[in-house]
Amino acid sequence: MKMLFKQRFFSWLDSYDIYDEQGNTLFTVEGKLAWGHCLHILNHDGVHVGTVKEVVLTWLPKFELWAGERNLGVITKELTFFSPKYRVECNGWQVEGDFLGWDYSITAADGARVASINKEIWNFTDTYTIEVPDGENALLALMVVLAIDAEKCSRN
């Protein structure tokens, strides 16, 4: 499954639309006014299916991933000097690659690829391609990408 992640051009808060390869809306992401980043994910019917919420008052950026009232995991930026690194505490997943160039992947504990993320250049807004071999992982992979994007945007 391939998802196209596009940031909305005119938006006061973080807002994104996620499309499939045919241009159909899979998810809509709406930033909510909160202390720290708070992103609500809606499915194609407008039903709330997930939240990415920044944990404030931490030494390094940290985001919780929620599906309703259930905490799915946490992603934390690790202390590094030259290249960003993230620790994912969810399903045994790992995130690795070139975060500065927005070319990275999410892998499972057994080394299987969960998702590949690539930034498309020459667009007015942030646009990424998220390739997820198993559609069951689409929402959670999107949450990880949103957390990393929110952390990178808050540094700039």
Side-chain angles (χ1 to χ4, degrees), residues 43-80:
N43 69 10
H44 63 279
D45 292 324
V47 176
H48 182 263
V49 293
T51 303
V52 176
K53 186 174 182 181
E54 183 175 11
V55 178
V56 294
L57 300 177
T58 58
W59 176 251
L60 294 170
K62 181 177 188 176
F63 293 84
E64 295 177 332
L65 312 175
W66 295 86
E69 297 295 319
R70 193 177 65 169
N71 185 311
L72 302 175
V74 176
I75 181 167
T76 308
K77 183 173 185 207
E78 294 185 339
L79 182 61
T80 58

Side-chain angles (χ1 to χ4, degrees), residues 3-5 7 98-104 116-131 145 149 152-153 156:
M3 298 187 293
L4 185 63
F5 174 108
Q7 183 177 26
D98 179 11
F99 298 101
L100 298 175
W102 270 100
D103 184 21
Y104 64 95
S116 296
I117 298 86
N118 298 295
K119 183 172 186 174
E120 294 186 6
I121 55 174
W122 312 113
N123 287 300
F124 287 111
T125 61
D126 287 344
T127 304
Y128 309 101
T129 301
I130 305 170
E131 196 165 331
V145 172
D149 184 66
K152 286 181 71 171
C153 289
N156 297 333

